[in-house]
């Protein structure tokens, strides 16, 4: 860390922010250390105090963001200065949408909503869309290709909406984007990155483009996406928190990070040239999961962009940017497992040369977002052991000395004071968000009224308190798994609520959490009743975690709450044109989804053989892929197996080989229309009936 980083830290806004955070963390930490000393716990006083200080810093960090964000939002915003935009030499933008075995209906409905919204602006000709598929299931290829070709035909957008699928998924999403940049990056000045669930309004896309054109030093401009379309109780909690608490947090975040912000991997626009030149990801020392290829590429790319001298900013004022979220605790934990491994890898980069102080803080905060759960678990375990040893010793409590003498309070009131201050800072962001809603014109009404806001905050507060111990166990497990070399695979995120979890599924996922809670409760009771009551909110939440997880996954609970405007959000009560369009397009596509309606996996494979249009698309794209001429004999044999024994006769690899061979596909298509229907496997008959075709006709 050089002089430049120190100078960046001493920026007055950043210095004030960290000084305030330090003061918030230092006072309760000092009280806690004095409490341990008064209680006669001296053997582990230093270690326990250090753990408390680290955990309290995290709490103070969040409280400071919300406090500064609250007052910043009370100040009159200065109108953003409009700079000159060169309209004679405009830059072009590639809007890239990486997908991995995602639901094609949702992906292409969102893409169509964005495309049509963009057509209503005066800048539509400067944007091209790219679907970058990393899908590994051949059945998904077929539906993706069919949706792409049908959409382009409907919108007249061939050449404007492009589709590319990789044969080999090297380096996952980061490798997908890298391959695109190497092949197409030189043709575009900017790249707007999306996720499969992303939606942006045309106005927001154009505004991002204009701001990049205005500022040639802007490397990455990130938006703050709003969560939408949540149906379950859990999803609605996340959605409400994102909408209600998010603005004051992002305002506080921008106060100290300024033009040294972070990149979240999607819903952001990137200047292509410096990104390609400076943001190539290094391989980390050691083997995966702690080393090797970087999993969470976005934080690192932001740090490298800043090291190259370009700005990375958060456009907190832009609306019209959306995403979706997991609908139950288990799916949320699966996503966190991937993020945890990626963030833990960032430890190697904390002390890299040339990084800005802000970049180091972003990387460090990402690590602590998960490591703090392990520290919380260690704090409870270590503290429980020390308290047990203290009570077993039956030593007398020390008289009121140190800080306690200034307050002249007994020991139990001293402990209540420490807890009260800590929880005050913990709940401060929620209180300030509620106060911000009351003071901001029309904000309460946008959430369904003042009573709905209060009810939503109280319900979210209760749910957070109940689920926090479970997430602590999950995150602690993830950190330890990563540290001991157990990596995580690349899986598709499930954002659909469905019918929610069954009790059996919930119990299977949380049985160890419940067992840990029972054991911890029994051990706490061995100390004394007072200690048991102090720990019961945590251990009790672990015990009932299967029941809580089942309830939170329920879409029925979500619908009931929506009916009384509890946990309602502005985009839900007054949706934007893009969200209305997205839902209408998605519903229309699902109603007309006769080709992939019954069994999407089998339908995709069989449609590629039977349907002339789908077969032609697959054959055309297969010809552009790597030649497999040496496999023609084998794939022709696979085609015969498919026709006579049905799709179940082919394994996953065999399906990929067959679907990648244009000659085998053409031969199977010809045979399925010329062979006697009785000689084909019975699974083909329903497909012909679905087409309402008769080969005799």
């Amino acid at each position: 860390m050089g002089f430049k980083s120190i100078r960046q830290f001493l920026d007055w806004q950043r210095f004030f922010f960290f000084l305030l955070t330090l003061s918030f963390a230092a006072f309760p930490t000092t009280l806690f250390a004095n409490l341990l000393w008064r209680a006669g716990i001296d053997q582990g006083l230093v270690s326990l105090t250090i753990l408390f200080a680290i955990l309290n810093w995290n709490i103070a960090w969040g409280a400071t963001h919300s406090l500064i964000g609250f007052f910043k939002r009370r100040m009159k915003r200065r109108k953003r200065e409009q700079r000159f935009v060169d309209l004679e030499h405009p830059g072009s933008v590639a809007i890239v949408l990486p997908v991995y075995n995602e639901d094609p209906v949702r992906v292409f409905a969102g893409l169509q909503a964005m495309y049509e919204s963009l057509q209503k602006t005066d800048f539509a000709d400067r944007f091209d869309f790219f679907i970058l598929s990393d899908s590994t299931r051949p059945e998904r290829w077929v539906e993706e290709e069919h949706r792409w070709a049908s959409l382009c035909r409907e919108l007249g957008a061939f050449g404007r909406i492009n589709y590319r699928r990789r044969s080999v998924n090297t380096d996952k999403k980061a490798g997908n984007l890298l391959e695109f940049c190497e092949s197409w990056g030189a043709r575009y000045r900017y790249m707007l990155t999306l996720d499969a669930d992303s939606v942006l309004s045309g106005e927001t896309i154009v505004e991002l483009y204009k701001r990049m054109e205005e500022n040639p030093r802007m490397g990455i401009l990130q938006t703050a996406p709003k969560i939408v379309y949540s149906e379950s109780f859990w999803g609605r909690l996340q959605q409400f928190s994102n909408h209600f608490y998010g603005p004051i947090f992002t305002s506080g975040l921008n106060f100290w990070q300024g033009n040294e912000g972070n990149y979240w991997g999607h819903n952001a626009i990137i200047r292509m040239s410096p990104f390609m030149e400076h943001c190539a990801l290094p391989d980390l020392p050691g083997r995966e999961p702690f080393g090797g290829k970087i999993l969470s590429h976005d934080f690192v790319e932001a740090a490298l962009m800043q090291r190259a001298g370009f700005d990375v900013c958060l456009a907190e004022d832009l609306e019209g940017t959306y995403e979706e979220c997991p609908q139950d605790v288990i799916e949320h934990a699966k996503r966190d497992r991937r993020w945890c491994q990626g963030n833990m890898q960032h430890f190697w980069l904390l002390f890299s040369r040339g990084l800005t102080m802000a970049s180091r803080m972003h990387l460090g905060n990402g690590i602590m977002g998960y490591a703090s759960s392990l520290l919380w678990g260690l704090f409870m375990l270590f503290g429980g052991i020390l308290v047990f040893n203290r009570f077993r010793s039956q030593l007398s409590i020390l008289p009121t000395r140190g800080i306690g003498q200034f307050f002249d309070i007994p020991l139990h009131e001293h402990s209540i004071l420490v807890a009260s201050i800590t929880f005050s800072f913990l709940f401060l962001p929620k209180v300030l968000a509620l106060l911000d809603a009351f003071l901001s014109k029309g904000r309460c009404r946008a959430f369904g009224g003042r009573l709905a806001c209060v009810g939503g905050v109280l319900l979210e507060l209760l749910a957070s308190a109940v689920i926090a111990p479970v997430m602590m166990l999950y995150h602690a497990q993830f950190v330890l798994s990563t540290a001991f070399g157990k990596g995580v695979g690349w899986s598709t995120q499930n954002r659909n609520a469905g019918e929610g979890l069954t009790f059996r599924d919930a119990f299977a996922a949380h049985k160890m959490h419940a067992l840990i809670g029972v054991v911890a409760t029994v051990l706490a009771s061995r100390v004394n009743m007072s200690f048991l009551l102090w720990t019961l909110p945590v251990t009790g939440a672990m015990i009932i975690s299967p029941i809580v997880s089942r309830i939170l996954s329920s879409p029925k609970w979500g619908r009931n709450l929506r009916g009384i405007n509890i946990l309602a959000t502005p985009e839900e009560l007054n949706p934007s044109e893009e969200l209305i369009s997205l839902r209408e397009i998605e519903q229309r596509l699902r109603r007309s989804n006769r080709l992939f309606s019954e069994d999407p996996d089998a339908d995709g494979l069989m449609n590629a053989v039977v349907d002339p249009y789908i077969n032609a698309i697959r054959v055309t794209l297969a010809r552009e892929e790597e030649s497999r001429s040496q496999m023609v004999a084998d794939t022709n044999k696979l085609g015969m197996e498919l026709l006579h024994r049905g799709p179940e006769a082919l394994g996953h690899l065999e399906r990929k080989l067959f679907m990648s061979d244009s000659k085998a596909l053409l031969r199977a298509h010809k045979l399925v229309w010329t062979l006697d229907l009785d000689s084909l496997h019975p699974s083909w008959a329903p497909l012909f009936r679905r087409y309402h075709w008769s080969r005799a006709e």
Side-chain angles (χ1 to χ4, degrees), residues 446-458:
F447 284 87
R450 294 196 172 194
L451 288 178
C453 289
V454 173
V457 169
L458 292 177

Side-chain angles (χ1 to χ4, degrees), residues 638-652:
L638 294 177
M640 297 303 295
E641 290 282 315
L642 175 64
L643 294 177
H644 295 299
R645 297 177 56 194
E648 298 301 325
L650 304 187
H652 177 70

Side-chain angles (χ1 to χ4, degrees), residues 409-430:
I409 55 176
L411 185 65
H412 73 279
E413 292 183 10
H414 191 156
S415 62
I416 292 174
L417 177 64
V418 174
S420 299
I421 295 174
T422 302
F423 282 109
S424 295
F425 287 133
L426 186 63
F427 299 144
L428 183 62
K430 304 178 190 299

Side-chain angles (χ1 to χ4, degrees), residues 620-694:
T620 302
L621 294 176
R623 284 172 176 163
E624 298 177 1
E625 297 171 356
E626 181 181 0
S627 173
R628 297 180 183 271
S629 57
Q630 70 276 16
M631 300 181 184
V632 169
D634 289 336
T635 49
N636 283 336
K637 181 180 178 181
L638 294 177
M640 297 303 295
E641 290 282 315
L642 175 64
L643 294 177
H644 295 299
R645 297 177 56 194
E648 298 301 325
L650 304 187
H652 177 70
L653 179 59
E654 292 171 326
R655 293 185 181 199
K656 291 181 70 174
L657 292 175
F658 172 72
M659 296 285 280
S660 299
D661 193 301
S662 60
K663 294 181 180 179
L665 281 164
L666 280 172
R667 185 171 185 270
H669 176 67
K670 180 179 179 180
L671 288 173
V672 80
W673 283 102
T674 56
L675 288 175
D676 186 356
L677 188 60
D678 293 335
S679 68
L680 299 177
H681 189 267
S683 60
W684 293 95
L687 191 64
F688 283 108
R689 286 197 298 269
R690 199 184 310 164
Y691 281 105
H692 302 290
W693 291 342
S694 171

Side-chain angles (χ1 to χ4, degrees), residues 16 61 80 112 119 124 230 242 250 366 370 456 476 479 557 574 610:
F16 173 76
W61 179 259
R80 203 180 66 84
Q112 182 174 350
Q119 294 304 304
S230 292
N242 168 264
T250 54
Y370 295 97
V479 172
W557 279 79
N574 186 26
V610 175

